[in-house]
Amino acid sequence: SSACLAFAAGARHTRAPHALIAAGVAAGLCWQWMESCLEASDLTLSYGALRCRDRWLALQRLRASAGLDAVILVLGPDGQFNRAAEVAFNWLLGGLSGRTLLSAPLDAKHEECVVCIRAGRSVVFCKQVVGEDIVARTAMWESCEVIISSRAEEADQDEYDCRKIAMFIDAVSGCDSIGVVVQESDRSGDLKMAVERWPLIQAHAFDEYGLGFLTMRSSVSNLEDRLQQDVYPSWDFHSVAIAHACLPQQLRKAWDEAMLVCDKGLAADASAAEPLVDYFEYGRLALSDADIAEFRKTQPSTLLNPAPRILSGAQHSRSIAQGVTVDEFRMSRSTSGADDGPPLHAIWEAVEPLTGIAVARTHFYGCADLISGPVNQDEKQWPVEGLRALVGAYAAAVACCRHLLSGTLSTVVSLSSGERNKALLQAAGAFMDRVSPSLLGRLDVSCCSMDSMGLQLDDAVFIRGMGLYYLRVTVADIDCWGSVAYGESGFFVEATPHGVEERSPCVVLTEQVPTFAFWPVPGGGSGRSDMVKAGLDSRLGVGFDRGPSVALGHRSGVRIYLEDRGTPPDPLELGDPLDLEVRGALAIDVSDPATSNGDDVMFVVMALCSGTAWVFSSGKVVLKTPRTGHVLLQIPGGGVGAPSAEASGGLIWVPVVVTPASSGCLGGVRRAAVALAPATVAEMRAKAAPGSESSSGAGEANELSWISQGGYKQGAQTPFGSAAPLPLDTSFAVRCALASACAPMASPTMAAPAMADSKSKCVWVSGFPGTGVLDVAVALAHAIGAPPPIDLMALGVPPNDAATASTQLADVLSLSVSQGCANFVVCDMWFDPVDVLTIVASQAPFADICRIVNVIALVDPLVAYPWSSARHPLLLRRVRRGWVSAVVIQESKHRSLGDTAELLARSLLKEIVAGRGSRDSVFVKSTTSAIADMALRRSSSPESLLAGRALALPGGDALAPTWQLQRIFLATVDHVPLDASALRAACLEKLHLASTTLAGSWRGLFCVEFRVCGLTSTEVDDMEAAELSAFCQGDIPLAVHRMVLSPRGEMLLPHRFAAPLDTASGVVWWWVIPVGGSVNPQLEQSQRLETAAVVNMCRLRLGKRSVWTQEDIPADEIMRQANSLSVTGQLPDEWFFNGSCYVRVDGYEQKHHPDLPGRLDLLLREHNAAVEAWNRTVDEVSHLPMFMSPSIIT
């Protein structure tokens, strides 16, 4: 935390918040505090917005390094089915990586997609079928527009093509240099000519547009080689997560199949290596190393090292350091040591084919026959000394490898291969001199780095950020016994990719592969096992002659012996049987206590095997497994006083000692344990003789810690099948995410959030215009007991000047703080949350008196998607995870919108949840109390907040946001009435024009708010001359009309307008414009003049009314008068109604009432009299100041 405060002091003077990095990482923050910066969805295998943003940033870095204005990907027929673009799209938006990326086809539903990536703007065009997926995955791209064709456009090919061409022309407008991806096989000749053959590029030159050939005015560069050589092979958060979760399990499965072959008695046979070799060969059938080399335009490697193989015996084990050529690998799958006698051991090495994850182990033969001497005179004694030397050397190699993985390797990963191996060998030698000075043999260390496609990186290449490394420690030339080796693969992630060379520990991928295993002597006898088996059979009465007997006819299988010849002999002194032929398991540890160095669990070298057990009252257990034969074990004290630990399969572990009869069987064993049923162990303890407690003492609680934790990693090994996949460590996932997100683009610092309770707390409510920000701020201030919210608009804060806002806000807060106010609410529409938390919150004097605890963002679907399906350019910045504590989605259910608002709200919710990774902090239709509950609460530590913010940082100066808000306020005169309905219609017309035009001063207009005095056209039409006269004399006050409009229509009206409309009348026009656009005086002046012209055109204008003739009387008025007469039922004399028409006494018939002409004449006279009075009044009042004065205050 002190380091964070130091960085905070430096951050107060920075003015580049959009190029920030995770400086807290550089300050050495504790990673265990950062787990909460990732959501649960970030730890799954799905390709979400966070991981997609990593690859988008990688492509942006490539574009910037190549000096290009844009990178385009044109798929399907519009790009002549360009295969390179398909691969790039699958990588960027499909989430594919590794060898699968280069061989997988493009999904047919993506064939119409077009992607254009620029420094300040990204555009993706797609169809409806993939629209939601694209929107969700690009939910963290800066200033990204996803343009989705409508169903009507997709039904009309001409309209669809026009929409796509217009999008493409707009996307590449102003680009002087463009990057494309084209394979060599797809371009025959000049690159420009190949690109110009794409139909979409040809459309740019249509005469209708008058733009000419795209490649004539813009240079074109091919990025295919850079992608193949630098980008695709790199590890990122998503590829690491996939490799960690899936591929080690497949490697473990192949390893288990090879061990199963050995369990069948084929340990030294060539077939033992077949599962490892087949797994490797089949995995690389789809795409060979030669194919990848062709893509990268390099020479394929002819040497495999590591390679899937089993090296048996002294002679061949010495070749572990040597690679295997491709031809040698195809000719021979396994090498055996038949020429130097039965082998004592074998080095196993396996390689995962897709990513190159490798593992090496040394397994042994003959453990069941290690005895102090021969069983009989004819049997040759097994070389005990050689096996002990090999096992001891292997235990030292395991300890040394794990020691290097835990720290030393992290300091040398950036070195070239030769320098790295030299440094590791020096560190390994120092470790061995300290813990095992009497080690026999020569120490050798090799470490290679693998890219995401399983190929070794060149010495001169080091991909910063993260990498896969294979470390193998070999003890060679152990007298005449050969060599032993141990190797692991793991990911290293740089903790700070910005200058501070501190790296995180390694996350080992292959720790689930059994560390140690053994089998009987290949082709040899099992003398000691036979002796134990004979003793067991003797105790069980197998072959024992009990004398004559008779059978009981009524009970099958029951015989009565006629003589008592005693109990069968018990040469092993087993005692009475307690449980026979039950499940059991054996665990042994052959590690050297000297190598533990205080971490006994880490350096365990453990073997596990399962089989059948016979348990006896003496505490002895006979265990039979395929790897040991029959072995005799002794539970000390009959289990009384001995510790126990839970084992898999419903068993429990209890420690055992080696009996003299089988001491050779477990020669070199440091400790051992057997797994039995709990009921069996309890019965054994109950029948144990008094005073037979374990000599080790019941207080030795750590006696089984080495196995209760599963050896190197808890759950890594189990005697009953493969263990479940180990979950991705959360702190390691944070490091991966930060390494991908915080790539080196720039290096300003970022301050950790202050947590001093002595300061006042501030809740920052941020939102777009028209979203009712002040309404929420007022309700929130009341709920948390704060004074009325501070409206930055009312303070007159300059737009986009966060430093000035910090100073002015501090001046306002100082007085309230001195009066004892502890909580404040600030209402803002100008500033990005990054600016708020890095500039406003960090600068003195604001930082000295107040701290911002949470930022709450308000969004409205009609503002979030103002123009068709395109999102607002600032939407993602206003709801960015890590920076914004909560997002409130406002309702826009205006009666004029129908179902549109609801559909937009659902889309907005999906997009925000995808970008933030969780729904927990997204509020929809929530009460103020629910928002207030979290407003002053901060559940995460400063370090975790800092890491979370680093995940969503802008990508540096080259990717700085290029959009900002611009406001034009036209103050209107209260006593000069406006026609509110005309103003509404004019504003909607301009908003619609902004959503369709490609240029002009209306581009970017997304919201209009007005609070004006005046009348609507309906109210004017209903006025009479007397009312007009009274209105002009001031007897009738002007009504105030308030409205908020977006390109999609009328929005819900907030209760309170933010300044200046809170107190003044006028019209506020809101644009989103490119950064720096407001300094263009011509554009700003043009916008102000055109908006003023619109407002002036909507002044209340009193027109004269026209007199009526008979033909001018509306038909509905004639019908109303006729109905009125018919209702009265009165008729002139000589007229009657026959039910269908009116009849005169002389027989004349007519349809209308006889009095209707007179009634219409009266109506005509009254109307024309009122019109004449209105026109006279208009002539009288038309020269009044309210109709002649300017309507806009200049």
Side-chain angles (χ1 to χ4, degrees):
S1 298
S2 60
C4 293
L5 297 178
F7 275 91
R12 293 178 183 177
H13 304 288
T14 182
R15 297 299 297 273
H18 304 300
L20 302 176
I21 63 164
V25 180
L29 299 178
C30 297
W31 287 106
Q32 60 267 25
W33 289 94
M34 297 192 179
E35 295 185 0
S36 61
C37 74
L38 288 182
E39 301 292 344
S41 61
D42 299 327
L43 301 177
T44 64
L45 299 183
S46 61
Y47 186 62
L50 179 63
R51 302 181 186 184
C52 187
R53 182 179 186 269
D54 293 342
R55 298 191 172 182
W56 172 77
L57 284 175
L59 195 57
Q60 286 280 24
R61 291 191 290 271
L62 177 62
R63 178 201 54 76
S65 65
L68 300 174
D69 294 333
V71 175
I72 60 173
L73 303 177
V74 182
L75 306 180
D78 292 314
Q80 290 190 330
F81 298 96
N82 178 17
R83 176 57 187 163
E86 294 176 355
V87 173
F89 184 89
N90 282 338
W91 172 80
L92 178 63
L93 288 167
L96 300 184
S97 57
R99 293 176 181 250
T100 307
L101 170 65
L102 301 182
S103 58
L106 178 72
D107 195 323
K109 63 185 179 182
H110 292 134
E111 285 188 349
E112 294 290 336
C113 294
V114 179
V115 181
C116 179
I117 295 180
R118 303 176 63 171
R121 179 191 182 201
S122 298
V123 182
V124 181
F125 178 85
C126 62
K127 283 189 171 183
Q128 288 270 343
V129 66
V130 295
E132 287 191 3
D133 292 340
I134 298 295
V135 166
R137 290 181 178 178
T138 61
M140 291 185 68
W141 291 16
E142 295 289 335
S143 302
C144 176
E145 303 172 31
V146 180
I147 301 176
I148 306 173
S149 58
S150 65
R151 300 194 183 278
E153 290 170 338
E154 293 179 10
D156 189 324
Q157 188 63 41
D158 291 337
E159 289 189 12
Y160 176 79
D161 290 340
C162 289
R163 179 74 182 280
K164 179 185 286 189
I165 294 171
M167 177 281 308
F168 180 74
I169 292 176
D170 178 52
V172 300
S173 175
C175 294
D176 296 327
S177 56
I178 297 176
V180 298
V181 284
V182 182
Q183 291 182 357
E184 198 69 34
S185 58
D186 293 335
R187 47 174 292 195
S188 56
D190 184 60
L191 176 64
K192 285 189 175 182
M193 295 302 297
V195 173
E196 279 293 349
R197 282 194 290 268
W198 297 351
L200 188 61
I201 304 298
Q202 291 177 350
H204 187 278
F206 285 172
D207 294 337
E208 290 83 350
Y209 303 113
L211 300 175
F213 293 102
L214 177 63
T215 57
M216 292 295 291
R217 65 176 182 84
S218 303
S219 62
V220 180
S221 302
N222 191 5
L223 299 177
E224 171 67 4
D225 293 344
R226 298 273 310 265
L227 287 171
Q228 291 286 353
Q229 297 170 8
D230 300 333
V231 178
Y232 296 158
S234 301
W235 291 99
D236 56 25
F237 184 22
H238 183 62
S239 59
V240 168
I242 294 297
H244 181 279
C246 304
L247 302 182
Q249 292 302 307
Q250 300 175 12
L251 181 63
R252 169 70 191 270
K253 182 180 179 181
W255 193 281
D256 289 343
E257 291 177 358
M259 296 186 72
L260 183 59
V261 173
C262 295
D263 289 343
K264 295 178 179 179
L266 302 174
D269 192 87
S271 58
E274 288 185 357
L276 304 180
V277 176
D278 291 344
Y279 170 60
F280 180 79
E281 287 186 330
Y282 292 151
R284 295 202 170 180
L285 284 178
L287 197 69
S288 65
D289 293 354
D291 296 331
I292 298 177
E294 183 179 354
F295 284 126
R296 299 182 184 179
K297 297 183 179 179
T298 58
Q299 292 297 323
S301 175
T302 59
L303 195 66
L304 295 178
N305 190 13
R309 51 187 170 172
I310 293 180
L311 303 175
S312 298
Q315 177 181 351
H316 294 287
S317 64
R318 291 188 176 96
S319 65
I320 181 63
Q322 304 172 7
V324 180
T325 65
V326 176
D327 294 336
E328 292 174 347
F329 174 74
R330 293 171 179 170
M331 292 175 60
S332 177
R333 295 189 165 200
S334 174
T335 57
S336 121
D339 55 342
D340 55 359
L344 297 178
H345 69 298
I347 298 178
W348 290 32
E349 194 167 45
V351 182
E352 196 282 319
L354 299 181
T355 59
I357 297 173
V359 60
R361 299 287 188 263
T362 301
H363 296 326
F364 298 88
Y365 305 123
C367 287
D369 289 336
L370 286 180
I371 57 177
S372 58
V375 176
N376 53 58
Q377 298 297 326
D378 299 329
E379 183 181 2
K380 182 180 178 181
Q381 184 177 0
W382 190 251
V384 178
E385 297 80 5
L387 191 55
R388 288 182 180 276
L390 290 171
V391 170
Y394 180 62
V398 173
C400 181
C401 183
R402 293 176 177 175
H403 167 73
L404 296 178
L405 287 171
S406 64
T408 307
L409 181 57
S410 63
T411 63
V412 298
V413 292
S414 60
L415 302 179
S416 65
S417 178
E419 294 177 348
R420 183 169 61 237
N421 290 340
K422 183 178 179 180
L424 289 173
L425 181 59
Q426 183 178 359
F431 175 80
M432 288 299 191
D433 291 341
R434 185 176 69 254
V435 302
S436 186
S438 59
L439 176 69
L440 298 176
R442 173 177 52 85
L443 191 63
D444 181 67
V445 179
S446 66
C447 179
C448 58
S449 176
M450 300 288 185
D451 63 25
S452 64
M453 297 185 184
L455 299 183
Q456 292 191 29
L457 295 175
D458 296 334
D459 289 349
V461 177
F462 173 67
I463 301 177
R464 295 181 61 87
M466 60 188 71
L468 172 66
Y469 294 88
Y470 173 56
L471 176 65
R472 185 178 61 205
V473 176
T474 304
V475 180
D477 302 331
I478 307 171
D479 288 340
C480 62
W481 312 113
S483 305
V484 295
Y486 179 85
E488 298 275 23
S489 290
F491 282 115
F492 275 88
V493 179
E494 286 187 307
T496 94
H498 296 282
V500 178
E501 299 299 328
E502 292 184 3
R503 295 178 177 84
S504 63
C506 175
V507 172
V508 180
L509 301 174
T510 52
E511 58 198 5
Q512 287 192 322
V513 176
T515 305
F516 178 61
F518 52 87
W519 288 275
V521 181
S526 300
R528 179 57 61 180
S529 175
D530 294 341
M531 187 191 73
V532 174
K533 181 179 183 302
L536 174 64
D537 291 343
S538 175
R539 178 61 189 86
L540 297 179
V542 177
F544 179 66
D545 185 10
R546 297 179 180 271
S549 62
V550 296
L552 296 181
H554 62 284
R555 297 183 65 182
S556 176
V558 177
R559 304 186 67 85
I560 301 298
Y561 291 95
L562 303 179
E563 299 178 8
D564 183 7
R565 296 190 177 183
T567 60
D570 187 3
L572 300 180
E573 299 179 353
L574 299 175
D576 297 333
L578 298 180
D579 220 343
L580 302 179
E581 296 190 72
V582 295
R583 287 190 310 141
L586 175 66
I588 63 172
D589 175 24
V590 297
S591 63
D592 186 352
T595 62
S596 63
N597 196 25
D599 191 353
D600 194 43
V601 173
M602 180 176 178
F603 298 107
V604 167
V605 183
M606 184 174 64
L608 295 172
C609 52
S610 59
T612 305
W614 292 263
V615 187
F616 297 89
S617 60
S618 62
K620 294 182 179 180
V621 178
V622 176
L623 183 68
K624 176 190 176 183
T625 73
R627 302 179 187 178
T628 61
H630 288 75
V631 61
L632 181 61
L633 307 171
Q634 174 69 59
I635 299 177
V640 177
S644 61
E646 182 180 359
S648 60
L651 307 181
I652 61 172
W653 292 108
V654 290
V656 298
V657 295
V658 181
T659 63
S662 58
S663 59
C665 176
L666 299 178
V669 173
R670 176 183 175 186
R671 46 198 172 186
V674 64
L676 300 172
T680 302
V681 176
E683 185 179 0
M684 181 191 305
R685 290 173 175 174
K687 293 186 177 181
S692 60
E693 287 82 0
S694 171
S695 60
S696 62
E700 194 177 352
N702 63 343
E703 186 172 353
L704 289 175
S705 61
W706 58 280
I707 193 170
S708 63
Q709 298 191 27
Y712 190 21
K713 194 83 167 184
Q714 184 174 2
Q717 300 182 38
T718 170
F720 304 104
S722 300
L726 294 176
L728 183 63
D729 181 72
T730 307
S731 61
F732 173 72
V734 171
R735 290 191 286 271
C736 290
L738 285 174
S740 294
C742 303
M745 295 293 292
S747 57
T749 58
M750 178 173 67
M755 296 296 288
D757 292 333
S758 59
K759 297 181 182 179
S760 300
K761 299 177 181 179
C762 173
V763 179
W764 197 280
V765 181
S766 173
F768 284 102
T771 56
V773 181
L774 193 58
D775 288 347
V776 176
V778 170
L780 186 59
H782 178 75
I784 64 176
I790 301 171
D791 184 4
L792 287 187
M793 295 289 187
L795 296 182
V797 173
N800 308 307
D801 188 354
T804 303
S806 178
T807 303
Q808 294 184 0
L809 192 57
D811 294 340
V812 175
L813 294 178
S814 298
L815 179 61
S816 298
V817 171
S818 63
Q819 296 175 353
C821 294
N823 299 327
F824 298 95
V825 176
V826 176
C827 172
D828 164 52
M829 287 188 291
W830 277 128
F831 298 109
D832 186 295
V834 175
D835 297 334
V836 172
L837 294 174
T838 57
I839 298 180
V840 175
S842 63
Q843 290 199 2
F846 180 89
D848 299 329
I849 61 176
C850 187
R851 62 185 176 92
I852 299 176
V853 292
N854 281 301
V855 176
I856 300 175
L858 273 67
V859 292
D860 190 291
L862 299 187
V863 175
Y865 304 109
W867 311 294
S868 185
S869 60
R871 63 166 71 103
H872 194 285
L874 295 179
L875 172 63
L876 303 183
R877 299 183 57 80
R878 294 300 181 92
V879 297
R880 183 184 285 116
R881 64 185 293 175
W883 299 87
V884 175
S885 308
V887 178
V888 179
I889 299 179
Q890 299 285 69
E891 290 188 89
S892 294
K893 291 186 177 180
H894 195 275
R895 60 183 180 275
S896 63
L897 298 175
D899 296 333
T900 302
E902 186 175 352
L903 295 175
L904 292 175
R906 287 202 297 264
S907 300
L908 179 61
L909 177 61
K910 290 180 181 178
E911 182 169 357
I912 291 178
V913 171
R916 297 179 63 83
S918 172
R919 171 90 189 262
D920 296 340
S921 58
V922 181
F923 295 87
V924 181
K925 301 179 182 179
S926 297
T927 61
T928 303
S929 60
I931 303 175
D933 287 341
M934 59 76 56
L936 297 176
R937 183 180 71 246
R938 170 171 282 167
S939 57
S940 302
S941 66
E943 293 84 356
S944 178
L945 290 173
L946 185 61
R949 292 173 184 177
L951 291 178
L953 279 173
D957 291 338
L959 304 178
T962 57
W963 298 95
Q964 64 185 23
L965 290 179
Q966 175 179 282
R967 183 191 68 177
I968 292 182
F969 171 60
L970 301 177
T972 57
V973 182
D974 288 341
H975 65 271
V976 177
L978 295 177
D979 187 340
S981 56
L983 181 61
R984 175 185 182 277
C987 291
L988 285 176
E989 178 186 355
K990 300 306 179 183
L991 286 166
H992 177 70
L993 180 64
S995 66
T996 57
T997 186
L998 296 178
S1001 58
W1002 297 109
R1003 182 176 185 181
L1005 181 69
F1006 70 92
C1007 183
V1008 178
E1009 301 172 296
F1010 65 76
R1011 177 182 183 270
V1012 296
C1013 297
L1015 300 173
T1016 65
S1017 58
T1018 303
E1019 292 172 336
V1020 174
D1021 292 341
D1022 293 341
M1023 269 189 173
E1024 299 294 339
E1027 293 175 317
L1028 177 59
S1029 178
F1031 170 75
C1032 295
Q1033 295 174 7
D1035 296 336
I1036 300 177
L1038 287 173
V1040 177
H1041 294 268
R1042 303 164 65 245
M1043 197 167 293
V1044 180
L1045 304 171
S1046 78
R1048 291 187 176 272
E1050 188 174 344
M1051 300 171 60
L1052 287 181
L1053 192 65
H1055 295 289
R1056 303 171 184 83
F1057 272 133
L1061 295 183
D1062 56 340
T1063 57
S1065 298
V1067 183
V1068 179
W1069 305 77
W1070 289 98
W1071 273 268
V1072 56
I1073 63 172
V1075 171
S1078 60
V1079 301
N1080 185 344
Q1082 290 81 11
L1083 178 61
E1084 185 177 8
Q1085 183 66 19
S1086 174
Q1087 291 172 336
R1088 186 169 293 277
L1089 291 176
E1090 292 193 36
T1091 53
V1094 171
V1095 175
N1096 285 324
M1097 287 293 294
C1098 297
R1099 291 178 54 179
L1100 185 63
R1101 304 180 187 278
L1102 300 177
K1104 292 187 177 182
R1105 299 173 180 174
S1106 301
V1107 295
W1108 281 357
T1109 63
Q1110 286 288 345
E1111 291 77 12
D1112 296 325
I1113 301 177
D1116 56 345
E1117 182 63 25
I1118 296 175
M1119 181 64 68
R1120 189 180 68 82
Q1121 294 293 336
N1123 292 336
S1124 174
L1125 291 172
S1126 62
V1127 168
T1128 61
Q1130 297 180 359
L1131 290 171
D1133 295 339
E1134 301 178 350
W1135 287 87
F1136 67 91
F1137 184 69
N1138 65 1
S1140 60
C1141 60
Y1142 296 91
V1143 182
R1144 199 165 51 191
V1145 293
D1146 58 1
Y1148 175 76
E1149 297 180 355
Q1150 63 181 30
K1151 290 292 186 181
H1152 56 80
H1153 196 282
D1155 293 339
L1156 181 60
R1159 182 70 65 90
L1160 294 178
D1161 288 340
L1162 178 61
L1163 174 65
L1164 192 62
R1165 290 193 299 272
E1166 291 176 351
H1167 172 77
N1168 289 338
V1171 167
E1172 292 174 358
W1174 172 270
N1175 292 339
R1176 288 193 301 270
T1177 305
V1178 168
D1179 290 336
E1180 294 171 358
V1181 302
S1182 60
H1183 299 290
L1184 293 177
M1186 64 187 308
F1187 297 110
M1188 298 296 295
S1189 300
S1191 61
I1192 299 176
I1193 301 175
T1194 58

